[in-house]
């Protein structure tokens, strides 16, 4: 039997992002991190660690650099075909979105481009985006469907996401988002499409274990709270967790609905009200902030960060990577935007892509922290302070990226 590989990281400053560590960033100094195989074995005072580790494996001198957990991008639409740069240019010149959509643009243009590709072509078209996230330290990524909107094409999207993840050192959290937009086949029958999701698409995806959660765009331009409830009920019946695109453009009470179903996360939430904040706090549902879309769309309504903070609601930060409203394959940009646009502290932004992002994907016990028993996904940064990770963009201070204890 092959022995498990042990490594010990010494002379490092460690931002554990662990709530059990009282210092900002969960920082510990004078400690060493002991990895055993794919997981963290121990975090110990360095002298003790070196003594106990002697002769067990490789000792790595971090030379004073910072270690953080691997980053988790907990909300992306990474797998899609085509792009909408021409549409963006039209919007910049004042062409209304409704006019663009009537001319064949908008989300349905991405649906057409996605449907036109087979599974391998779709994976290849999305590869550079995933590699860009990984280059900035992402080790776990959530990828949604929602640009197929038929049984065949939704499954194709999810399979393409799995194909990408199995070919690279990254973990996938896959989400079914068939209730993203109304497909042309159901243009006058939104209730009929919801029935199709609940009776056909969702059961098929569950049988093939292609998704671990189900999402709905609950909005006036998406699907109603009543329709969202039906999808959530079907998801729960098939053993899948729920999350929601909610309160982005208006307040329909979607966050309270997510909380009612013990949902993993309520995402966007710019129009979240006090009742919604209280519901998330009571349910332990994570608030996922998506500043890329807020920036790209030129929005002015900000999520109620101060109220979320006061209520103790965990706040995650994600890229919302998608072709229409947040075409940014940069987790560090999302962190920077969360600080500058939404008022998060750098510590909150780092927790937003580690511990709280792990919670938003149902991985709170195993991911997003540097603590014994957690996966050995970690990043080595050539910086003097953790705030530097999101402070200056254009250069990348990431020195080494480990996935399950192996560099890559």
């Amino acid at each position: 039997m092959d022995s498990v590989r042990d490594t010990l990281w010494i002379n490092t400053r460690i931002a554990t992002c662990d709530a059990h560590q009282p210092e900002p960033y969960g920082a510990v100094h004078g400690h060493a991190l002991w990895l055993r195989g794919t997981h963290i074995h121990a975090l110990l005072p360095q002298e003790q660690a070196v003594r106990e580790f002697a002769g067990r494996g490789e000792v790595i001198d971090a030379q004073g650099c910072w270690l953080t957990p691997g980053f988790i991008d907990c909300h992306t639409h990474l797998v899609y075909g085509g792009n909408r740069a021409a549409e963006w240019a039209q919007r910049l010149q004042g062409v209304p979105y409704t006019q663009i959509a009537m001319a064949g643009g908008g989300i349905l243009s991405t649906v057409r481009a996605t449907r036109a590709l087979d599974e391998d072509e779709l994976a290849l078209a999305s590869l550079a985006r995933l590699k860009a996230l990984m280059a900035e330290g992402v080790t776990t990524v959530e990828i949604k469907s929602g640009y197929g909107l038929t049984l065949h094409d939704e499954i194709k999207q999810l399979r393409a996401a799995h194909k990408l993840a199995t070919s690279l050192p990254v973990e996938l959290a896959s989400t079914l988002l068939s209730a993203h937009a109304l497909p042309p086949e159901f243009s006058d029958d939104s209730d009929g499409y919801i029935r199709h999701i609940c009776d056909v698409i969702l059961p098929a995806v569950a049988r093939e274990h292609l998704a671990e959660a189900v999402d709905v765009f609950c909005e006036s331009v998406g699907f109603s709270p009543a329709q969202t409830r039906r999808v959530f009920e079907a998801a729960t019946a098939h053993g899948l967790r729920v999350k929601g695109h909610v309160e982005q453009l208006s307040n329909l009470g979607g966050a309270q609905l997510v909380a009612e179903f013990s949902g993993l996360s309520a995402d966007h939430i710019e129009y979240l009200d006090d009742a919604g904040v209280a519901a998330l706090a009571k349910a332990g549902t994570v608030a996922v902030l998506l500043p890329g879309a807020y920036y790209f769309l030129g929005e002015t309504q900000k999520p109620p960060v101060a109220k979320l903070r006061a209520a103790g609601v965990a706040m995650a930060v994600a890229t919302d990577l998608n072709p229409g409203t947040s075409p940014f394959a940069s987790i560090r940009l999302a962190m920077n935007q969360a600080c500058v646009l939404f008022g998060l502290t750098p510590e909150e932004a780092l927790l937003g892509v580690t511990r709280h992002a792990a919670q938003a994907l149902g991985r709170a016990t195993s991911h997003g922290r540097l603590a014994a028993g957690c996966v050995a996904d970690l990043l080595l940064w050539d910086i003097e302070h953790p705030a530097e990770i999101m402070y200056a963009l254009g250069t990348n201070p990431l020195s080494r990226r480990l996935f399950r204890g192996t560099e890559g």
Side-chain angles (χ1 to χ4, degrees), residues 6 20 32-33 44 103 131 137 146 178 194 223 226 232 240 252 258 260 273 278 295 311-312 315 317 321 333 340 376:
D6 281 33
H20 295 97
L33 192 68
L44 299 169
K131 285 186 174 180
S178 297
I194 291 295
F223 297 93
F232 284 177
L240 300 174
L252 297 184
V258 172
E260 179 185 333
D273 61 12
Y295 160 81
M315 292 181 286
V317 175
L321 173 55
L333 174 61
V340 174

Side-chain angles (χ1 to χ4, degrees), residues 130 141 143 159-173 403:
L130 181 54
V141 60
I143 300 177
R159 284 178 176 164
H162 282 271
K163 186 182 292 290
L164 279 175
T166 55
S167 67
L168 295 168
V170 67
E171 180 175 340
L172 169 70
F403 177 73

